[in-house]
Amino acid sequence: MVMKNYPPEFKADAVALYESRPEATIRSVADDLGINPETLRNWVRAAGASRPRGRRTQEPARPPAPLEAENAAPRKKVRELEEEREILRKAAKYFAGGDALVNRFQFVADHQRRYGVKRLCTILGVARSSFYYWCQTAADRAARQAADARPAARIQAVHHEPDGTYGAPRITAELRERCGEAVNHKRVARIMRASGIEGVRLRRRHRTTLADPAAAKAPDLIGRDFTADRPNTKYVGDITCLPLDGGKFCYLATVIDLASRRLAGWAIADHMRADLVTDALAAAVRTRGSLAGSIMHTGHGSQYASRAFAEACRSAGVQRSMSAVGSSADNALAESFNATFKRETLQGRKSRPTEREARLDAFRWLHRHNTRRRHSSLGRRSPIAFENALHPTPTTLAPAA
């Protein structure tokens, strides 16, 4: 082959042409110029313009490596959140009824292959060890359910006979007498709960004021006259319970002005010690500035008969008054207040889920009672509106708990 001599200008232009056409290959450029591809490749290498062999297609510009790494973490977090939302949306269908914990376990069991046990337990707030224990005891639960099937039918039959009024103790006795079964009342209660069988029972009144026979008594200065000529002269106090889920309680102590029906002081606690009523009285002192010369009428509960409450009244300049033992009529206004409070805060519920919810419900209702709730005895005005009409300077209720 005859070698050609190419001038430096031709070589430089050939390399420049190759560089200006990103989509072209060395062969295609060489063919256009009528030169050997290897010759052009040597010129490109000598000029330091190395290019990959073959066709070079234009690729979209990629972000710098540090920026791409920086964006990777947020994108991963977004994907995780979207997946978590999908999991919760699916899990919501499992929580329509029944045991919430068992529903969570069942959801994990049904979706563990796709999402993994660890991730599902974390999102649903259950312990993996509890889930694995639930899986291990599945056979035992199934056997117990099968063993409970026959007693459940007999319990249902006994329950229906007395118009569905029998509870676990009476049904247990009926089964023992009628069928001669040595059945345990706890098992009967468990089967009834699982089958949704309930007996009719009267709601037991939760006593909050227990009289102390050894405590010093105060005379009755009210005499069932629950009126007053002006505010800050006569008060009534009482304690009521706030039922919580699981059979727990917290307690509300109140101090109510008989003239304006204003709740001058109140306190909430998880106990019924004397501190509860002394805190309510202290809140009333803060609200009024002074209770000197006023009467405080209460029941004979041990809290109100305690030395701590007597000392608190003496320090505040308050005269103590007590109703007759066991007579709700002698403290009827406080009893009526408690009944209204429970009816309007519970609204048909038997209890509140947590103490925090009970406190917040009480906080809202008690303040609303003073500022907005209209009373027929006050000309359909709220307690504070009634007091403001009596005094040119408005009064405000300080926090009383």
Side-chain angles (χ1 to χ4, degrees), residues 106-276:
Q106 189 62 56
F107 180 83
V108 174
D110 294 344
H111 297 81
Q112 59 180 320
R113 289 190 176 182
R114 178 173 182 180
Y115 301 107
V117 173
K118 181 179 179 180
R119 179 162 176 75
L120 290 174
C121 289
T122 301
I123 293 175
L124 298 181
V126 296
R128 278 185 290 168
S129 59
S130 299
F131 167 72
Y132 289 129
Y133 178 79
W134 179 80
C135 293
Q136 293 171 1
T137 56
D140 294 338
R141 290 196 305 275
R144 187 172 65 178
Q145 290 175 358
D148 289 345
R150 289 186 60 191
R154 291 194 294 269
I155 290 172
Q156 186 75 46
V158 173
H159 179 260
H160 279 311
E161 288 184 7
D163 298 327
T165 60
Y166 276 6
R170 288 188 173 88
I171 290 180
T172 302
E174 191 74 16
L175 290 174
R176 288 174 178 174
E177 180 177 342
R178 182 188 304 182
C179 305
E181 296 186 42
V183 61
N184 186 280
H185 71 280
K186 293 182 179 179
R187 185 187 183 195
V188 172
R190 174 172 55 78
I191 295 174
M192 290 179 66
R193 284 194 301 271
S195 304
I197 305 172
E198 293 184 355
V200 175
R201 57 184 177 183
L202 295 177
R203 189 174 180 182
R204 184 175 62 182
R205 185 174 180 269
H206 187 75
R207 297 188 63 187
T208 54
T209 52
L210 302 176
D212 183 0
K217 304 299 187 294
D220 185 354
L221 304 179
I222 296 294
R224 299 189 181 181
D225 178 14
F226 300 106
T227 61
D229 296 333
R230 62 186 187 279
N232 202 23
T233 57
K234 293 181 181 179
Y235 293 93
V236 293
D238 199 7
I239 302 174
T240 189
C241 67
L242 284 65
L244 308 175
D245 288 354
K248 298 180 181 179
F249 296 90
C250 55
Y251 303 91
L252 168 69
T254 54
V255 179
I256 306 170
D257 193 308
L258 290 181
S260 63
R261 302 299 192 264
R262 179 175 180 172
L263 182 66
W266 55 277
I268 296 178
D270 59 356
H271 61 81
M272 288 196 300
R273 298 190 294 270
D275 294 346
L276 177 65

Side-chain angles (χ1 to χ4, degrees), residues 39 47 50 63 102 150 199 251 259 283 288 328 399:
T39 301
S50 84
V102 171
R150 289 186 60 191
Y251 303 91
R288 293 304 194 188
S328 60

Side-chain angles (χ1 to χ4, degrees), residues 235 262-266 280-291 370 387 395-400:
Y235 293 93
R262 179 175 180 172
L263 182 66
W266 55 277
L281 183 65
V285 173
R286 291 194 299 269
T287 299
R288 293 304 194 188
S290 174
L291 299 182
N370 284 335
E387 291 188 1
T395 57
T396 59
L397 179 63

